[in-house]
């Protein structure tokens, strides 16, 4: 096990370094393709959504409470509520939903 972990760490470091250096060495001109520019613009948002959505459903005791909080958060954000208001109301929704689910449906 001792030598294997160092091989794994070396490969991980090599792959991490390659993914950071290759774009800098291969792309030297400004990107003019509008499709590629728009794709690269939305990559961080999609990555954040992909990482966040499963956690919303799995972080609560009941996925139903997470889904209700997700819908309420989307509606509040759609109507212009700020991040603090959305976070407080979503946390409150999960707390109340889990209390109701635990007391009436289990």
């Amino acid at each position: 096990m001792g030598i294997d972990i160092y091989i794994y760490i070396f490969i991980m470091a090599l792959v991490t370094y390659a993914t950071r250096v290759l774009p800098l060495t291969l792309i030297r001109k400004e990107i003019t393709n509008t499709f590629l520019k728009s794709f690269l613009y939305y990559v961080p948002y999609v990555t954040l959504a992909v990482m966040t959505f499963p956690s919303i459903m799995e972080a609560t005791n009941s996925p139903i409470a997470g889904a209700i909080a997700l819908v309420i958060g989307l509606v509040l954000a759609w109507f212009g509520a700020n991040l603090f208001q959305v976070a407080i109301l979503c946390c409150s929704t999960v707390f109340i939903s889990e209390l109701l689910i635990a007391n009436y449906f289990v």
Side-chain angles (χ1 to χ4, degrees):
M1 179 183 160
I3 195 76
D4 290 342
I5 192 74
Y6 292 113
I7 292 172
Y8 297 148
I9 291 172
F10 176 73
I11 291 172
M12 182 181 67
L14 187 67
V15 169
T16 302
Y17 183 74
T19 57
R20 292 172 191 261
V21 167
L22 282 178
L24 291 174
T25 58
L26 296 178
I27 304 171
R28 293 184 176 243
K29 296 179 182 176
E30 182 180 349
I31 299 171
T32 56
N33 187 344
T34 55
F35 175 77
L36 186 59
K37 285 175 92 173
S38 65
F39 174 78
L40 293 174
Y41 179 78
Y42 288 110
V43 165
Y45 300 110
V46 171
T47 305
L48 181 63
V50 168
M51 291 188 321
T52 305
F53 184 73
S55 296
I56 291 171
M57 303 305 255
E58 294 173 359
T60 57
N61 289 333
S62 169
I64 295 170
I68 293 169
L70 174 66
V71 170
I72 287 178
L74 288 173
V75 170
L76 289 172
W78 183 265
F79 287 110
N82 63 31
L83 184 61
F84 184 72
Q85 293 169 335
V86 172
I88 291 294
L89 288 173
C90 287
C91 290
S92 301
T93 301
V94 167
F95 181 71
I96 293 169
S97 298
E98 287 187 348
L99 279 178
L100 292 174
I101 290 170
N103 289 331
Y104 295 109
F105 297 109
V106 177

